[in-house]
Amino acid sequence: MRILIAEDDPVSRRILDSFLKKWGYQVEVCEDGKAAWNILQQEDAPHFAILDWMMPGMDGVEICRKVRERRQQPHTYIILLTAKGRKEDIVEGLETGADDYLTKPFDAQELKARVRAGLRILELQDELLRAREALREQATHDDLTGLWNRRELLAMIQRELARTHREKSAMALIMTDLDHFKQVNDTYGHRAGDAVLREAARRMASLVRVYDMVGRYGGEEFLIALPGCRAADARSQAERLRAAVAAEPFNTPAGVIAVTLSLGVAAVDGGTEVGAEALIHAADAALYRAKRGGRNRLEVADPSEMVVSH
Ligand SMILES: [Mg+2]
């Protein structure tokens, strides 16, 4: 853990520096408020600071206020050092956003305990942030494949379509479904089925552009949104996906399984206003034709298959 010390008094500075180093912390030391504020603005700034209240340039309370104005995550834990002992001064310091304070001259054991208490707070904060991140991931992604889940993908498609209409650009959807997937589950079991879904997802995700969105739409059904893509390009992309899945059989816990995809493509360009539902429906209808046409193939929706929404 790195701790920033800002203290203009050389004796106090040396004591803080040597104690904190003795207890195993990495220490950055500066002698005035401006230098401390510069360090705290850096990308890899320490998240723990011990700031003297009275310093030339910028005092500890002002630094505190500036740090809190940024409203940045993760939290920077700040201990104010003060020679003042009056209650109203301490209240003022804490109200500007300091987490704790120490009155000089301080006792080494008290300093140690306060630093530890601060670290516990930072660790808890860290755990909360990680938990929030994990929840966000869970809420937006499919557990099995790691792709976007249906709800998140639909929301993104709606946003992208609105942008497509506004900018009069293009957008395409590819709806795809693993052929005879029920047979995979029935013949090889669900673990093999899951492995097939994961591998199909991996191959598709590795082929799309960074701004394309690949989601799991249903059981063995995937939906891919291609912003800026016209029908001809979407058709080529769908063909690449089909070929990538069909080219090499999949390794699963139950052995090697040959897998193919059927795909339906639907594209819209800026001239026509098509809703997400209509575009998905058109891609689905094209997919259905690809299935009926023999599978391991793709079909492109005719613009007349899209219901125009107003
Ligand atoms: Mg001072």
Side-chain angles (χ1 to χ4, degrees), residues 52 62 69 93 137 154 243 275 294:
D52 188 27
E62 197 181 341
E69 273 170 11
E137 171 82 16
L154 288 177

Side-chain angles (χ1 to χ4, degrees), residues 7-8 52 54-55 104:
E7 164 65 287
D8 62 321
D52 188 27
M54 305 293 271
M55 281 187 292
K104 293 192 279 189

Side-chain angles (χ1 to χ4, degrees), residues 5-289:
I5 299 168
E7 164 65 287
D8 62 321
D9 174 56
V11 176
S12 168
R13 194 167 63 231
R14 208 173 313 123
I15 294 172
L16 282 169
D17 185 37
S18 65
F19 275 130
L20 291 170
K21 278 183 181 150
K22 194 174 101 188
W23 298 328
Y25 301 110
Q26 276 177 273
V27 181
E28 277 189 56
V29 187
C30 52
E31 301 174 14
D32 66 79
K34 285 226 166 77
W37 175 232
N38 281 337
I39 290 172
L40 287 171
Q41 288 178 92
Q42 287 165 8
E43 186 107 11
D44 62 339
H47 293 137
F48 201 120
I50 300 176
L51 309 175
D52 188 27
W53 185 314
M54 305 293 271
M55 281 187 292
M58 195 186 285
D59 66 28
V61 169
E62 197 181 341
I63 297 172
C64 236
R65 200 174 288 128
K66 281 177 170 294
V67 167
R68 295 304 178 235
E69 273 170 11
R70 297 185 304 188
R71 298 183 180 285
Q72 248 177 21
Q73 300 276 19
H75 184 73
T76 302
Y77 193 91
I78 297 175
I79 298 179
L80 272 183
L81 285 182
T82 168
K84 303 177 175 187
R86 294 190 311 153
K87 274 221 174 65
E88 50 273 38
D89 293 333
I90 291 161
V91 168
E92 186 199 334
L94 293 175
E95 275 180 351
T96 60
D99 295 285
D100 201 357
Y101 69 93
L102 263 175
T103 309
K104 293 192 279 189
F106 48 79
D107 172 76
Q109 288 314 308
E110 187 184 357
L111 171 68
K112 193 177 186 178
R114 301 261 178 146
V115 169
R116 279 195 182 155
L119 290 176
R120 276 199 299 277
I121 301 265
L122 286 182
E123 275 162 23
L124 282 173
Q125 172 99 15
D126 219 47
E127 275 171 37
L128 274 174
L129 287 177
R130 272 203 303 272
R132 197 170 69 185
E133 199 42 54
L135 276 177
R136 188 178 297 148
E137 171 82 16
Q138 266 174 32
T140 55
H141 288 75
D142 171 55
D143 281 347
L144 181 69
T145 61
L147 299 177
W148 295 111
N149 64 24
R150 179 190 179 114
R151 194 186 49 196
E152 191 62 18
L153 185 69
L154 288 177
M156 290 191 295
I157 288 173
Q158 265 155 4
R159 279 199 297 275
E160 276 303 323
L161 265 179
R163 196 162 70 123
T164 300
H165 294 148
R166 199 171 58 239
E167 295 174 356
K168 301 208 182 310
S169 58
M171 174 163 169
L173 295 181
I174 299 172
M175 182 73 87
T176 178
D177 188 276
L178 302 189
D179 295 326
H180 300 302
F181 182 70
K182 191 175 175 304
Q183 282 178 21
V184 172
N185 272 333
D186 291 349
T187 311
Y188 302 97
H190 285 278
R191 274 184 65 218
D194 286 353
V196 164
L197 289 170
R198 271 197 298 267
E199 175 61 9
R202 193 194 63 78
R203 290 191 193 187
M204 287 191 274
S206 71
L207 274 181
V208 301
R209 306 164 301 174
V210 284
Y211 38 90
D212 293 335
M213 296 153 251
V214 186
R216 186 167 175 208
Y217 194 65
E220 68 267 33
E221 218 171 6
F222 300 89
L223 180 58
I224 300 149
L226 311 152
C229 214
R230 293 179 193 284
D233 297 326
R235 167 189 269 279
S236 316
Q237 180 63 303
E239 174 51 29
R240 275 195 291 276
L241 297 175
R242 188 204 62 73
V245 168
E248 291 279 335
F250 290 24
N251 284 313
T252 78
V256 175
I257 303 173
V259 179
T260 59
L261 292 178
S262 297
L263 309 99
V265 176
V268 62
D269 61 42
T272 40
E273 196 171 314
V274 176
E277 226 175 291
L279 196 60
I280 291 169
H281 181 265
D284 209 32
L287 166 62
Y288 183 66
R289 276 193 278 118

